[in-house]
Amino acid sequence: QVQVAESGGGLVQPGGSLRLSCEASGNIFRLVAMGWYRQAPGKERELVARVDSGGGSYYADSVKGRFTILRDYAENTKYLQMNTLKPEDSAVYYCNVLAYLSAHPGSHSEFWGQGTLVTVSE
């Protein structure tokens, strides 16, 4: 099986920091890309940040300069470091993993975590 497990969410005051963790386990041959999405109640799910194994990265304008993805490919783990948090950052955060299951070019698949809740409030 392949499983993506997330943790690190919780309640934090505005201006505070949190670090979210996502670990991909199971029969993964090679990690290609990792990303974080979030969805607040009544709003559309949005891409927050994404990095790939070639060094490319993307950050939404709303989080640039505040959020950073940290990677540990050897352990198939990624972290989302969130600083200077704002109430509008409150959402369920999901990690997304693109990986190859074998050396075959057509073996890539996409996996999602279960989500972790981040609440930014006094």
Side-chain angles (χ1 to χ4, degrees):
Q1 66 173 20
V2 175
Q3 182 175 339
V4 179
E6 299 167 309
S7 62
L11 175 64
V12 64
Q13 293 182 327
S17 298
L18 282 176
R19 179 178 291 184
L20 306 183
S21 176
C22 179
E23 181 177 0
S25 61
N27 192 23
I28 296 177
F29 178 75
R30 180 175 297 170
L31 196 62
V32 178
M34 298 179 292
W36 285 95
Y37 293 75
R38 69 184 181 188
Q39 186 169 24
K43 296 185 178 180
E44 300 291 327
R45 182 174 298 187
E46 63 175 336
L47 175 63
V48 176
R50 188 176 183 87
V51 297
D52 60 54
S53 59
S57 64
Y58 166 85
Y59 292 90
D61 289 341
S62 59
V63 306
K64 284 182 179 178
R66 300 189 297 120
F67 291 10
T68 304
I69 291 181
L70 307 175
R71 295 161 289 175
D72 188 340
Y73 291 110
E75 298 179 356
N76 292 329
T77 301
K78 68 175 182 179
Y79 306 90
L80 181 65
Q81 180 65 45
M82 306 185 295
N83 298 325
T84 319
L85 284 162
K86 306 174 181 179
E88 50 264 44
D89 294 319
S90 298
V92 177
Y93 284 72
Y94 301 88
C95 62
N96 173 265
V97 174
L98 179 64
Y100 283 87
L101 302 183
S102 73
H104 194 281
S107 69
H108 63 279
S109 297
E110 190 173 286
F111 305 93
W112 290 88
Q114 78 284 356
T116 185
L117 178 63
V118 172
T119 302
V120 184
S121 178
E122 293 287 353

